[in-house]
Amino acid sequence: MQQEMGVHCTLLGRFSIENLENDPKRVQYYTSFRDYEHFMLFFNCLGPAVTELNYQCLSLTPKDQLFMCLMKLRQNKEDLELSFLFEVSESTVSKIVITWINFMYFQLKEINIWPSRDIVTDYMPDDFKYKFATTRVILDATETPIQKPSHVDAQSVTWSSYKHKNTIKTMIGCTPRGTVSYVSDAYGGSASDRQIIEKSELLQLNLNLFEQKDSIMADRGIMVQDLFAAQDVKVNTPTMLKGKSQLEPEEVVRDRRVASKRIHIERVIGLAKTFKILKNELPSGKLILGSRIVFVCFSIANFRKCIVNENA
């Protein structure tokens, strides 16, 4: 039996994206892209610099280095397993993954994912436009579990009372049509939504991200109306009771409408979290790359089919 397995492994040879050219199911499983052509579209979008990275692995082509990195993000493969599959050392795997995460981060950062008011309106689903036409972005926070830090202060900063574990927390924004349009830096899980927004580019007046009368849609926990008042931007959140025993009927109807549209950001976050590296504990050795890993995974989501129907 062992001899048969050895022959089988020898016939398969080194793992390579080229071997999956006619196997879209496995390409999607390992990379999130629907097939080989879709993978190559993304690879080509990264530009000619793929051949000029600081760390060069001569035994693997740039395409297979990207393939390896995507397998790490998508399926959270151990470095040891990737070293077996690609027939390189564990240290080589680690260097390739770190190099490509940094490279993709800087390349994808060059893409302006914040669309203009006109583009948001043009692609806004019909029912959304009817009910919340001024919406520019839907915001929600997401948390990624991390390995418990050894230092007590770091444990405190990253402890999430919501998740009851150590995490890093990121604010995500999407358009009403479901395109990721904003990804904040990652902060320790103890940071509040308000603290993250206070430090974000969303409030930098010199960037002119918002126009007057724009609105933001968010969960009731994101209480930042006062922060955006200077830009004449409204924050739409479900109604707070504020001492009342129950909401008025019109408030209930409005809240249901907000909830039915705010669910788009939850679906977008769910799509990005098909990258298992965002769902399993990020090891301490990768924590320094936390912000970049989150950004890359959410940016790749924009290269995939829109999950929000045009009539939603």
Side-chain angles (χ1 to χ4, degrees):
M1 182 66 179
Q2 286 183 337
Q3 187 177 6
E4 288 178 2
M5 287 179 65
V7 171
H8 183 60
C9 290
T10 302
L11 289 173
L12 284 176
R14 173 184 284 166
F15 228 55
S16 174
I17 189 64
E18 298 288 352
N19 296 335
L20 305 183
E21 190 168 351
N22 298 310
D23 194 345
K25 192 170 183 178
R26 279 209 286 175
V27 171
Q28 185 166 41
Y29 175 78
Y30 286 125
T31 71
S32 84
F33 296 113
R34 64 177 177 269
D35 52 29
Y36 177 78
E37 287 73 23
H38 195 194
F39 169 89
M40 286 305 300
L41 169 67
F42 179 73
F43 177 78
N44 291 326
C45 283
L46 295 175
V50 294
T51 61
E52 300 172 7
L53 302 184
N54 288 338
Y55 177 74
Q56 295 289 340
C57 175
L58 299 179
S59 59
L60 293 178
T61 65
K63 281 190 287 187
D64 281 337
Q65 292 176 44
L66 172 61
F67 183 35
M68 176 194 288
C69 186
L70 289 173
M71 286 177 66
K72 182 73 174 180
L73 298 176
R74 173 75 164 169
Q75 295 301 335
N76 201 29
K77 296 285 188 186
E78 296 286 345
D79 288 0
L80 181 60
E81 183 180 358
L82 291 171
S83 74
F84 292 154
L85 293 172
F86 288 90
E87 298 180 1
V88 294
S89 68
E90 278 187 81
S91 63
T92 297
V93 170
S94 179
K95 289 174 184 174
I96 288 174
V97 169
I98 290 171
T99 298
W100 276 83
I101 286 173
N102 283 321
F103 172 63
M104 286 192 285
Y105 172 78
F106 286 111
Q107 291 297 91
L108 295 170
K109 268 283 188 181
E110 292 296 311
I111 301 173
N112 178 22
I113 61 173
W114 184 265
S116 68
R117 168 78 262 174
D118 289 342
I119 290 176
V120 171
T121 301
D122 287 346
Y123 288 91
M124 188 177 291
D126 294 338
D127 191 58
F128 208 121
K129 188 181 294 185
Y130 173 70
K131 294 174 180 174
F132 302 100
T134 61
T135 304
R136 189 70 178 271
V137 66
I138 312 171
L139 293 178
D140 201 5
T142 184
E143 298 188 58
T144 302
I146 63 171
Q147 196 173 41
K148 185 178 179 180
S150 56
H151 197 280
V152 177
D153 288 343
Q155 291 175 21
S156 176
V157 168
T158 59
W159 178 254
S160 168
S161 56
Y162 178 66
K163 294 290 186 180
H164 303 293
K165 61 179 71 173
N166 296 96
T167 68
I168 54 174
K169 188 174 184 180
T170 314
M171 187 64 63
I172 307 296
C174 78
T175 68
R177 190 62 199 279
T179 300
V180 176
S181 57
Y182 179 73
V183 182
S184 77
D185 289 334
Y187 295 87
S190 66
S192 68
D193 297 339
R194 184 183 179 91
Q195 287 171 329
I196 294 175
I197 289 176
E198 281 178 329
K199 296 177 181 178
S200 75
E201 300 97 323
L202 297 174
L203 292 176
Q204 293 180 19
L205 298 178
N206 60 309
L207 295 179
N208 296 317
L209 295 182
F210 293 99
E211 296 179 18
Q212 286 186 326
K213 306 303 180 184
D214 279 347
S215 65
I216 296 167
M217 188 171 285
D219 190 20
R220 61 166 48 89
I222 304 180
M223 302 298 293
V224 291
Q225 287 87 343
D226 57 312
L227 298 181
F228 289 95
Q231 301 182 57
D232 195 16
V233 172
K234 181 181 178 183
V235 180
N236 268 325
T237 59
T239 311
M240 302 289 282
L241 284 172
K242 294 180 181 178
K244 295 188 292 185
S245 59
Q246 62 182 32
L247 298 176
E248 298 296 329
E250 59 269 21
E251 292 175 326
V252 173
V253 171
R254 177 189 170 280
D255 285 3
R256 286 176 179 170
R257 287 179 172 178
V258 170
S260 71
K261 302 309 177 189
R262 203 188 65 78
I263 198 171
H264 296 338
I265 186 65
E266 295 176 5
R267 294 177 64 201
V268 166
I269 290 173
L271 175 66
K273 286 199 170 181
T274 57
F275 286 97
K276 292 180 182 177
I277 199 167
L278 298 181
K279 298 180 74 174
N280 298 313
E281 281 190 0
L282 196 65
S284 55
K286 292 286 191 298
L287 188 54
I288 194 170
L289 290 173
S291 278
R292 295 180 181 184
I293 289 171
V294 173
F295 180 84
V296 167
C297 291
F298 274 91
S299 294
I300 289 175
N302 278 348
F303 285 84
R304 293 153 71 181
K305 187 176 180 181
C306 181
I307 61 171
V308 178
N309 187 280
E310 61 183 11
N311 298 314

